[in-house]
Amino acid sequence: MNLSKREFLQVMGAGTMAGMNLGAWAEASAATAANGLYDLPKFGQVSLLHMTDCHAQLKPIYFREPNINLGIGSMKGQLPHLVGEHLLRFARVRPGSAEAHALTYLDFEKAARRYGKVGGFAHLATLVRRMKASRPGALLLDGGDTWQGSGTCLWTQGQDMVDACKLLGVDVMTGHWEFTLGMERVKAIIEKDFAGKIDFVAQNVKTTDFGDPVFKPYVIREINGVPCAIIGQAFPYTPIANPRYLVADWEFGIQDENMQKMVDEVRGKGAQVVVVLSHNGMDVDLKMAGRVSGIDAIMGGHTHDGMPVATLVPNKTGKTIVTNAGSNGKFLGVLDFEVKDKKVSDFRYKLLPVFSNMLPADPAMDALIARVRAPYEKQLNEVLAVSEGLLYRRGNFNGTGDQLLVDALMDVQGADLAFSPGFRWGTTLLPGQAITREWLLDMTATTYSYATVTEMSGEMIKTIMEDVADNLFNPDPYYQQGGDMVRVGGMSYAVDPSARMGSRISDMRLKGQLIEAGKRYKVAGWAPVAEEARHQKLKPVWEVVEQWLQSQGGKVGTRRLNAPKVSGVHPNPGYVA
């Protein structure tokens, strides 16, 4: 794609215009604010709407963005590795505005009480319908991580989300956590529920025996007379980050060469707009955009980065737009293309926050949500305790929600230390809110959430920590798997993200004493990827944590965050202590 000299102003202006709208309407009524915030003028002939990583959150939630999202090497100081005021200054968003709250952790408790909850499929549906009405022919793209992340999704094997997405009007989808439902379930949904309604695309998933495509690699849809190709890119490291046995017959990977082949193929079939619907993670998307030519835009997910500004990446034939639409249903990306002479000549991009008190609930979606939740409402709403402090997950090194989990695992299981995976999904509770079974499942619900207790040597503990740190901080994005650092309870440590592999972790201590390489320690954890775990009759982690919550006398005190000592990266606009 080749853009005009206005491209810089266009990219920077995306955040500016949105920030001005939100700031101007911040004190208005919900209805008036919605008119100001969501009144986007139509542009061009082709429009794509993008949601990703909703993690089965059908109801409005609170969600705190990270205060630590480090960029290492060439990514230091670049999107998506800007947090707080650094991100607001880059995107020209006014501090204190509704958009500033949606994008950052700043003054989170105060802003959350002021602006209310975000997301919720009934409210998202209203916004999607509004955007489609103003943009005839617009397609809704789902970047995946949709059929996982809640109690109802786990108990219905994703059926609640499948039904909700069909009603929402999703047109094209790719995946990641969907695959943890198992191969048979995924194929059944695509071949039965999605047939004739939703295209599931992934160019980088093939059979392990003969290398045959498992899914359609792309789909070509005509929008207002313009042929548009959507190429799917599923999460390339699924068999590593998640249990291999759940996708035993499929192989994944980034597969740049095949991506280039697919781009050339759809161009050869007449596609005038080529978009990749990706679940790579944003850093991987940025690298791919520079290596594969002929892509107009990569609309990405996986790393949960809500980016108010599109990034333009040069490659040998032009430039590629890279965007990421956050998580938990709290954003909807809107990308408009102007097409002239059978190619993209200009674009507009907006990332719209979904504020549930500014968007009325769509009646049909509201009714569907009530229906799918009805059999489980009593279980979901049971109060296990009340939190006296803020409980959140996101951040490179720890969150108070995970601190609660590791504290509970150590206490109930008598462990010396505990690990909690560096998942980025999970919702936020404000001080004084009830810790319900629903919230606990929002933080832990997977198809392999077994609670474990394992004896490990100090050497093995160090190896695990180094391995996860390399997955997160390797300077080559193609060696990153997304997610955050494993959360640690009971053990302090230091980390230098800029160090070489195997040398990032140091000064590991238990109760002030250095961890000894040859000594064995009792380590609690959950979500093991090894197949033998599912045959060991282990309790699901939520049962263990629930036992601890019910022993706390109705209240859980503010969690003391076990954060590592971080060196080698300061100053860094992706780090605010």
Side-chain angles (χ1 to χ4, degrees), residues 207-264:
T207 60
T208 55
D209 50 9
F210 300 111
D212 296 325
V214 176
F215 308 106
K216 290 188 293 188
Y218 59 81
V219 62
I220 298 178
R221 298 278 193 96
E222 191 169 288
I223 304 176
N224 298 319
V226 179
C228 303
I230 311 297
I231 304 173
Q233 176 78 358
F235 180 53
Y237 297 114
T238 298
I240 301 172
N242 307 103
R244 177 74 181 125
Y245 62 84
L246 293 171
V247 288
D249 298 338
W250 301 344
E251 62 180 24
F252 295 69
I254 295 173
Q255 301 184 24
D256 278 349
E257 289 185 7
N258 197 61
M259 177 64 78
Q260 185 67 69
K261 180 181 177 182
M262 293 300 99
V263 173
D264 295 344

Side-chain angles (χ1 to χ4, degrees), residues 366-398:
D366 213 27
L368 183 147
I369 293 169
R371 185 170 67 253
V372 299
R373 287 174 59 90
Y376 312 106
E377 284 286 2
K378 185 177 180 180
Q379 293 168 270
L380 294 171
N381 293 332
E382 183 174 345
V383 175
L384 306 175
V386 173
S387 178
E388 295 183 333
L390 181 71
L391 293 177
Y392 65 92
R393 169 161 275 166
R394 272 305 313 275
N396 278 165
F397 297 108
N398 208 346

Side-chain angles (χ1 to χ4, degrees), residues 151-168:
T152 54
C153 190
L154 179 69
W155 295 329
T156 65
Q157 293 187 291
Q159 194 64 47
D160 61 336
M161 299 309 301
V162 170
D163 293 344
C165 286
K166 287 163 61 179
L167 182 59
L168 186 64

